[in-house]
Amino acid sequence: MPAQKTLSIIKPDAVASRVIGQIIARFEQNGLELLRAELRSIDRDTAKAFYAEHAEKPFFGELIDYITSGPAVVAVVAGEDAVALHRKLMGATNPKDAEPGTIRADFAKSLTENAIHGSDSVESAKREIAIFFPAAAKEEGFLDF
């Protein structure tokens, strides 16, 4: 069975804080493999597609402004039970609630500037990987999990 995959985004605040390497090292130290990673600016159309489930919520505009505010590292990460493991490494969405030693507890600045995104389910991972890596998703089997 192919390894489970998930989408990871090291968000603009963490990129600006220069902690990319520390975050990726945590993935690798915990058995996750980086299959693909790109430092990129996320354009507004991509951000809107990515956050489509929040389109009707009052904070939607803030999400779009934030994720497009600077470069981010968008990555496909794989391993056994990758979605759950990645989410455990991230910690709670609100860094004030995150367990010590998690990425958000250590690197997040606020609920909005919370350092990292990870898919919340296998279905979300497939949708999100296809948004950011459409050609590779098909050619490299990123959607085979």
Side-chain angles (χ1 to χ4, degrees):
M1 178 175 156
Q4 191 178 78
K5 297 163 193 82
T6 191
L7 184 83
S8 180
I9 299 177
I10 301 173
K11 295 179 178 181
D13 60 296
V15 171
S17 296
R18 303 174 73 163
V19 295
I20 297 167
Q22 293 176 65
I23 292 171
I24 291 172
R26 289 185 188 199
F27 300 160
E28 293 175 335
Q29 291 162 357
N30 286 278
L32 293 174
E33 178 183 2
L34 197 65
L35 298 181
R36 184 178 195 100
E38 294 180 3
L39 178 67
R40 66 159 73 165
S41 295
I42 298 172
D43 64 73
R44 294 186 74 79
D45 288 339
T46 302
K48 287 176 183 177
F50 177 64
Y51 285 126
E53 65 193 58
H54 301 297
E56 301 303 318
K57 296 178 182 165
F59 56 83
F60 181 69
E62 184 180 346
L63 280 176
I64 302 304
D65 290 344
Y66 166 63
I67 202 69
T68 61
S69 68
V73 175
V74 182
V76 178
V77 180
E80 187 173 332
D81 205 17
V83 172
L85 177 55
H86 186 270
R87 293 192 66 77
K88 180 180 176 186
L89 295 173
M90 289 188 327
T93 302
N94 187 338
K96 292 179 182 177
D97 299 331
E99 292 288 324
T102 62
I103 293 167
R104 287 181 173 146
D106 293 345
F107 303 120
K109 297 177 180 177
S110 68
L111 180 59
T112 300
E113 294 184 351
N114 65 2
I116 191 163
H117 165 83
S119 304
D120 63 5
S121 67
V122 170
E123 294 76 25
S124 291
K126 289 179 180 182
R127 182 184 74 80
E128 293 171 356
I129 291 168
I131 288 170
F132 287 100
F133 300 107
K138 294 175 187 170
E139 293 169 13
E140 297 178 32
F142 285 170
L143 302 183
D144 297 332
F145 55 106

